[in-house]
Structure formats: structure tokens, C-alpha cells
Amino acid sequence: MRIYRPAAAVATAGACVLLPGCLTLFSKTEVVRAEETRRPVRFENAQAAETFNKALKDKDNDGNLGGACFGVPFVTLYARQKKLGDNARFNDAVGRCDTDQDGLITGHEADIFAKVCGCD
Ligand SMILES: [Ca+2]
């Protein structure tokens, strides 16, 4: 019987690591660069603005910068997430999209941004 105890302890420890919880007891989301204001930007035309805004909205990464969690099977005791503020996310997207940094997003730049995001 004593032989099975270490195996059970290893199985329990493995389950704790590999099976994250379904119930979260404490969760915290930290917003990074939350106080940032939107940088001014112009669009060549309405189509460029629509393409850019759709790509930004559909982008997979919703400003999530990652996080950590700790728990036992089916119960997460503590989860922490870091998320980029909405304006900071917008500014970063404008910085990537406006390739010549002239403050004007052309239709071509918006199309490239949408393709790079995989959102077209
Ligand atoms: Ca430009």
C-alpha cells in the first residue's frame, strides 16, 4: 500500500499543474498605459478608416499582455492578467499602420495593416 502513495502524490501534483480550474476565486486585471491619450491621426478616405478600424477591432490580441494563474484542478485560486489600455492599443496600431509616420493613414497602408493582422 505504501508504494501507491508516492504515485498518488505525483498524480495529484501533475493534475494541479496540467488541469487549470473552471472556477476562479480571485481575479485581477491590470491595465497598462491606461492614462495615455489617443494620438491624432488622419485617414486618406472613409474606406481607409473603415479598413483600419475593422482590422483593429478584429485583431486577435485584444491588448492582452499575458498573465499568470495558480490553482488546483477545476478551481483557479488566483488569476492575474495584464492588458494594454484602449488608447495605447490604438496608438500602437497607428504606429504600425502609418509606415511613413506622416500622420495620414492611406488606403494602401490600411490594407497592409489588415493583411498583417490577418483581419482582412
Ligand atoms: Ca502614412
Side-chain angles (χ1 to χ4, degrees), residues 39 41 93-105 109:
R39 63 193 266 190
V41 63
V94 167
R96 284 193 306 274
C97 183
D98 189 13
T99 53
D100 57 5
Q101 302 297 313
D102 64 353
L104 174 69
I105 292 178
E109 288 173 329

Side-chain angles (χ1 to χ4, degrees), residues 5-110:
R5 286 187 179 170
V10 169
T12 302
C16 289
V17 172
L18 299 175
L19 299 173
C22 299
L23 175 68
T24 301
L25 298 179
F26 181 75
S27 176
K28 178 181 179 183
T29 301
E30 179 184 348
V31 179
V32 178
R33 293 167 50 198
E35 67 285 342
E36 196 167 309
T37 58
R38 283 190 178 207
R39 63 193 266 190
V41 63
R42 295 174 294 126
F43 293 94
E44 181 181 47
N45 52 38
Q47 180 65 36
E50 183 179 339
T51 302
F52 173 81
N53 287 322
K54 183 179 183 319
L56 183 61
K57 182 180 174 188
D58 294 347
K59 195 166 186 283
D60 290 339
N61 181 358
D62 190 22
N64 191 352
L65 300 175
C69 65
F70 173 75
V72 295
F74 307 111
V75 178
T76 299
L77 301 174
Y78 175 77
R80 180 186 55 139
Q81 293 289 321
K82 282 188 176 181
K83 185 177 178 184
L84 199 58
D86 289 339
N87 289 345
R89 184 170 172 258
F90 177 85
N91 292 342
D92 288 355
V94 167
R96 284 193 306 274
C97 183
D98 189 13
T99 53
D100 57 5
Q101 302 297 313
D102 64 353
L104 174 69
I105 292 178
T106 64
H108 184 66
E109 288 173 329

